[in-house]
Amino acid sequence: MAHVSGNVVMVGGGFAGVGCAKALADKGVEVTLVDRNGYHQFQPLLYQLATAQVGVSDIARPLRGIFARADSVRVVTGEVEKADPAAHSVTTSDGETFAGDALVLAAGARPNFFGTPGAEEHAFPLYSVADANRLRSRLLGLLDAVDRDPSLVDKGALTVVIVGAGATGVETAGAVSEHLRQVAPHFYKGFPADKVDVVVVDRGSVVLNGFSDKAHVFAAGRLRKDGVDIRLGVGVESVGAGHVTLTDGTELSSHVVIWAGGEQASSVIAASGLPTGRGGRVDVARDLTVPGFPGVYVLGDAANIQDADGNVLPQLGSVAQQSGRWAARNILADLEGKPRSDFEYHDKGIMAMIGRNAAVAEMGKGRHEIDGPFAFAAWLGVHASLLEGTRQKLGALLTWGWDYASRKRPQALVDDADAYAIDWDDDHE
Ligand SMILES: Cc1cc2nc3c(=O)[nH]c(=O)nc-3n(C[C@H](O)[C@H](O)[C@H](O)COP(=O)(O)OP(=O)(O)OC[C@H]3O[C@@H](n4cnc5c(N)ncnc54)[C@H](O)[C@@H]3O)c2cc1C
């Protein structure tokens, strides 16, 4: 295979960064891949990590392991604080600077709290392994507390509020409801499952916005059957340590408000000084470069990427992965003095898990709809195939099979002592 000479600095080892670095490594291009964690995390399964359905090693894999055989890829674990698009360089929090022929910003997204008072301080977002561990520890902290003192139910100990009824909110609501109502009674004798209150709030008028009408109805029906309280047309006014206030004036006592209510581009984008559009993302050209900044590519969740019809593509793993591979093609073209080409997205469809034996899937660009057990099986198959490496694919399938049969949840472990410990009187607002 002919090698191409050049070096690329990249921020982010998510779907986009890994896809891009792998394709560049195949051609021997030098890549310095900087990621704050040093591992690739599979965000679509974070809610399962939070509800102890899978373990950390099922969904996160060291970047050094992924690139162990790629001699031209150097992995650096570090927090990027500054990016200089003119110099094609980035600087980490320990002051190290890396520069290259091209700069790739694939730093993903972070939650957007839209300035909601108390949300950043008290809510539980789900963007990283650390977020999922924190949420699992809080849920286990609540269950242990109720086991010790059942009267804490009156202080909202079994009330979980999920903000946002999109795919992440729906999947999380289904999983939390199952964990509290059906799994917890296996662990805690005399557990008051009838006191569990899982509430989903959304300012919109449907659940699973972006899916078909049939999917809206199916998902809402299934969640309600599982005891989830869906409140549409209402948002969150503020979040406190032990309560949440909704825009209709309702106040709910709760010590776990899960934020699935919006996202914005990583802080690396703001720190780069690049012009931004919707969601703080960079409006990239069709070839994934940034207009006016030659050799700078912004990918995945950090970018507003258009399809051939001019529609901005959603923030999805498949968009990120494909944009990463396509950017690598264009970087290789730059290095070889050839013309770049416009990104073509292959739409394989969208899907969401709602609960045991229940999912919705809209397959392919034509959105062929399936739901129920077939969609559930398709969801498991697609997500297993997207995981990095054979060990993770097999591991996830084994873990899901075990969980389906036993509901024993061997991953139900506390590893965030701060989130586990709840101050029942700390609700001053
Ligand atoms: C809870 C959840 C569920 C989802 N479910 C689905 C789903 O079912 N299907 C689907 O298609 N999509 C889903 N998505 C969306 C999908 O995960 C994203 O579109 C995809 O991960 C974006 O890939 P990315 O490479 O752009 O960013 P990411 O995967 O977020 O990767 C960004 C990387 O950049 C690193 N990074 C960020 N900032 C810095 C910094 N300052 N310094 C160094 N490193 C940094 C991070 O550590 C991370 O490794 C879900 C997202 C979430 C949050």
Side-chain angles (χ1 to χ4, degrees), residues 11-17 34-37 39 41 43-44 46 78-81 106-109 126-127 168 171 266-268 299-302 315-318 320 351 379 383:
V11 188
F15 285 105
V34 190
D35 192 289
R36 59 157 69 106
N37 297 318
Y39 55 76
Q41 59 191 13
Q43 286 182 343
L46 287 176
E79 175 80 25
V80 170
E81 280 193 341
L126 252 188
Y127 278 85
T168 300
E171 292 189 329
S266 158
S267 55
V268 171
L299 311 175
D301 277 8
Q315 281 68 56
L316 287 177
S318 49
M351 43 177 58
W379 189 99
H383 283 76

Side-chain angles (χ1 to χ4, degrees), residues 213-383:
D213 289 348
K214 192 173 163 214
H216 301 158
V217 173
F218 180 84
R222 171 62 198 236
L223 286 178
R224 288 198 171 106
K225 190 165 160 242
D226 288 347
V228 175
D229 175 3
I230 301 171
R231 302 189 188 191
L232 298 173
V234 63
V236 171
E237 192 71 45
S238 65
V239 183
H243 74 274
V244 53
T245 307
L246 306 184
T247 49
D248 63 3
T250 311
E251 185 172 304
L252 300 169
S253 293
S254 174
H255 294 260
V256 55
V257 175
I258 303 172
W259 197 267
E263 66 173 53
Q264 57 185 323
S266 158
S267 55
V268 171
I269 297 302
S272 72
L274 287 169
T276 53
R278 195 180 151 86
R281 295 179 283 267
V282 176
D283 295 331
V284 291
R286 294 274 347 274
D287 61 6
L288 305 173
T289 59
V290 183
F293 294 88
V296 178
Y297 290 78
V298 184
L299 311 175
D301 277 8
N304 289 318
I305 301 174
Q306 286 179 26
D307 67 11
D309 302 325
N311 304 312
V312 176
L313 294 166
Q315 281 68 56
L316 287 177
S318 49
V319 175
Q321 200 173 48
Q322 291 181 38
S323 70
R325 291 189 196 133
W326 201 281
R329 273 168 67 158
N330 280 341
I331 291 169
L332 290 166
D334 286 344
L335 292 172
E336 294 181 307
K338 295 180 184 165
R340 291 188 291 272
S341 54
D342 287 349
F343 176 53
E344 283 168 29
Y345 176 57
H346 292 285
D347 188 348
K348 294 181 186 157
I350 46 177
M351 43 177 58
M353 170 73 84
I354 302 156
R356 183 170 270 247
N357 285 330
V360 291
E362 298 178 10
M363 314 293 274
K365 203 173 177 183
R367 297 279 188 263
H368 173 68
E369 294 172 29
I370 50 173
D371 56 35
F374 289 116
F376 178 75
W379 189 99
L380 295 179
V382 166
H383 283 76

Side-chain angles (χ1 to χ4, degrees), residues 133 136-138 140-141 144 411-417 419-421:
N133 285 340
R136 187 182 61 252
S137 296
R138 171 53 57 98
L140 294 174
D144 284 359
Q411 325 287 353
L413 305 170
V414 172
D415 52 11
D416 185 325
Y420 177 79

